[in-house]
Amino acid sequence: MGTLRDGPALLVGLIFCGRCDTRMVVHYQRGQGGKLWPKYECSRVKADYGGELCQQLSGICVDRYVTGLLLAAMAPAALEVSLQAAEQAQHRREEVDRIWQQRLEPAGYAADRARRQYQLAEPENRLVVRELEKEWEHALAERRRLGEEYDRFIAARPPHPHRRRV
């Protein structure tokens, strides 16, 4: 294939002449600001036999065209990978929400249970009622703390990616 040299051309050693079926070479021209502009040339007949240049192509145009074809060919695969990544992100999001619900649910049960115990206590047992009231307030504070922590978590996480069905 030959030695690749420094330069911006993408298809060095890969293009063959459509007329004489020989490998085309890349030559660079310096443009404004010292930028290199590639040019693909079929110069085999000229180099070997002193003939005319078979043909030449603008490297910029050929490289852009081939890049477009490559990206178009890869688009369905990129879409599939993107959809899979979005699906995985949605599963992780649901898993995190499930874990949060597992943390919030017992706090709600504890607060509800403390409320019921307080309401069922006899008012004459002031010591018991005061202790049950403290437990109820503690359970409510814990439920509120977890709820606020969950709200901060929801506010800080990235917005939900909207999926469009194709």
Side-chain angles (χ1 to χ4, degrees):
M1 184 163 139
T3 306
L4 297 180
R5 297 195 174 120
D6 291 337
L10 296 177
L11 305 170
V12 176
L14 298 176
I15 297 183
F16 285 84
C17 178
R19 292 183 185 159
C20 64
D21 201 34
T22 60
R23 190 180 309 267
M24 296 180 83
V25 295
V26 178
H27 290 281
Y28 293 102
Q29 294 176 336
R30 289 230 180 255
Q32 290 178 337
K35 186 174 181 179
L36 294 176
W37 296 94
K39 179 173 49 171
Y40 296 102
E41 294 181 347
C42 177
S43 59
R44 177 62 60 197
V45 173
K46 182 178 178 182
D48 289 350
Y49 306 109
E52 293 294 318
L53 196 65
C54 185
Q55 67 175 327
Q56 64 182 1
L57 303 166
S58 166
I60 301 284
C61 295
V62 173
D63 288 352
R64 281 186 187 155
Y65 180 72
V66 171
T67 301
L69 290 175
L70 179 66
L71 291 175
M74 292 176 62
L79 178 62
E80 183 63 31
V81 168
S82 296
L83 290 175
Q84 287 176 355
E87 190 173 317
Q88 287 176 354
Q90 179 62 26
H91 286 308
R92 275 182 290 206
R93 185 183 207 83
E94 290 168 359
E95 180 67 17
V96 168
D97 282 342
R98 187 182 61 76
I99 290 169
W100 269 105
Q101 293 309 316
Q102 286 176 347
R103 288 182 67 196
L104 290 167
E105 192 174 321
Y109 287 149
D112 191 45
R113 182 170 185 243
R115 178 190 54 81
R116 285 194 316 268
Q117 285 178 336
Y118 172 77
Q119 289 175 341
L120 291 175
E122 295 294 329
E124 296 82 31
N125 294 329
R126 291 183 182 178
L127 284 171
V128 173
V129 169
R130 266 186 268 165
E131 189 61 33
L132 289 173
E133 185 178 21
K134 285 180 189 175
E135 288 177 13
W136 184 22
E137 288 175 359
H138 177 71
L140 285 173
E142 179 64 15
R143 184 174 69 178
R144 183 174 34 254
R145 183 191 67 76
L146 274 175
E148 289 170 355
E149 192 176 323
Y150 178 66
D151 291 341
R152 281 192 301 274
F153 170 76
I154 292 296
R157 81 175 171 184
H160 187 323
H162 300 288
R163 289 184 62 185
R164 285 190 266 172
R165 297 279 175 180
V166 180

